[in-house]
Structures are given as structure tokens and as C-alpha cells.
Amino acid sequence: TENNAVTGAWERVDPIGTIAQPEDDTTPAGVTAWITQQSTSAGEASGTNDVDTGSVTLISPAIDVSGLSNVRVSYQRWFSNTTSGAAGGQAGSDAFRIEVSSNNGATWTAAETIGPGLFDDINNQSGWRRGTFTLAGAGVQPTAQMRVRFIAEDLGAGTSVEAAIDDFEVT
């Protein structure tokens, strides 16, 4: 992981839910997910441990997909950016970016971007959503050094930003 935010670092835990963060993972037999900073108690205020004043990045290990075709990356993602933080910011003003690299992270290509967006955009509201992309669709060649990164950011004025990733698969 890489972090330059004040709070909200990625951690793999059994989530404690808030209005902006999941209570459960999405795996039928599992309980853990990657989330942006664990709440300390159920029902905690959404801005207590959210991503603040910067970005937090979760990076996969290198994955060997060399010689394969029709490579698909899929995951369950959670992104909440619909509530204003203590500073009274503008809901929906931040983004959650998913990027892919074919050269072990030397360069990155955008695969999916959620936000910035309107308050009523379902992608900016709390809840698990399936994300998927193909390497070909992202314009990336399959190599032995493919990596995927997930970047949750609070770069605007005081919004409450929470993100989570579960059931990451490469097929």
C-alpha cells in the first residue's frame, strides 16, 4: 500500500459498518475485505476514519498473465463519497480510481474511474458494486508483471470518502 492521506489507510479486516463503510465482505464463506481504515465501533460517524487530505493506494502483487488472451480482472468494490465531512465539503467531488500496469508498476493505465459525480449517482453511494475490465479493453498487453492498483482519494474540500475491495480475481 501507499498512503499520503492523514487517515484512511487500507487494511484487511472484518469490517465494522458505518453509513459510509460496509458491515460485511462479499465472499459467501469469508469475512474479511480490504477497506479504508477500520471503524472502531458499529455506527461510528462516517468521517471519523475516512480518507482525509490525500490518497491511499492498494497495489496487487505482480501477476503473471504472459501468453494469455482475453485476460479479465474483476472485483467487488465499495466507494462512498455522498456525505460531507466535518469541514462541510462538496459530496461527490472525489474519485476512486482503478489502474493496471504491465511493467510492474513503472507506468499505469486507467481501467475504471468512479466519481467525481452527482450525489444521486449510484456509483458514488455506499454499497458493493461489481467492477470488471479486460486488459485488451484497457489497452494493456498481458505480461509476467501485471499489477492492479486501487486509489481512494479525498483531494477536495472535506468530504467523507470510504472504499473497499473484495473478491479480486484475474481470469
Side-chain angles (χ1 to χ4, degrees), residues 12 16 18 21 33 42 44 58 74 105 107 115 117 126 152 157 165:
R12 185 158 175 80
I16 298 172
T18 69
Q21 194 171 52
E44 181 176 72
L58 177 65
S74 62
T107 59
S126 298
I165 293 294

Side-chain angles (χ1 to χ4, degrees), residues 14-15 17 22-26 31 33 78 128 166:
D14 179 357
E23 170 64 28
D24 296 304
D25 74 334
T26 60
V31 295
W78 177 292
W128 287 108
D166 200 20

Side-chain angles (χ1 to χ4, degrees), residues 2-5 7-8 10 36 51-52 54-58 78-80 94-98 149-155 161-164:
E2 296 175 357
N3 304 304
N4 68 8
T7 59
W10 286 99
T36 53
V51 178
D52 273 331
S55 62
V56 293
T57 305
L58 177 65
W78 177 292
F79 178 61
S80 178
D94 292 300
F96 186 31
R97 296 180 289 125
I98 295 86
R149 72 180 178 183
F150 301 90
I151 306 165
E153 55 192 24
D154 180 12
L155 304 178
V161 174
E162 296 283 8

Side-chain angles (χ1 to χ4, degrees), residues 102 104 149:
S102 62
N104 208 32
R149 72 180 178 183

Side-chain angles (χ1 to χ4, degrees), residues 19-110:
I19 191 171
Q21 194 171 52
E23 170 64 28
D24 296 304
D25 74 334
T26 60
T27 310
V31 295
T32 60
W34 283 98
I35 66 169
T36 53
Q37 197 160 352
Q38 176 73 293
S39 296
T40 56
S41 61
E44 181 176 72
S46 64
T48 304
N49 289 320
D50 70 313
V51 178
D52 273 331
T53 319
S55 62
V56 293
T57 305
L58 177 65
I59 305 171
S60 77
I63 302 165
D64 185 355
V65 293
S66 58
L68 302 177
S69 59
N70 301 318
V71 176
R72 177 174 304 278
V73 177
S74 62
Y75 42 88
Q76 293 288 334
R77 63 170 164 74
W78 177 292
F79 178 61
S80 178
N81 185 216
T82 58
T83 58
S84 295
Q90 179 64 41
S93 62
D94 292 300
F96 186 31
R97 296 180 289 125
I98 295 86
E99 299 176 340
V100 62
S101 173
S102 62
N103 55 15
N104 208 32
T107 59
W108 296 93
T109 300

Side-chain angles (χ1 to χ4, degrees), residues 113-140:
T113 301
I114 300 93
L118 300 175
F119 178 80
D120 61 354
D121 180 347
I122 191 74
N123 289 305
N124 286 327
Q125 296 175 7
S126 298
W128 287 108
R129 314 272 183 261
R130 183 162 180 80
T132 187
F133 65 89
T134 62
L135 291 189
V140 174

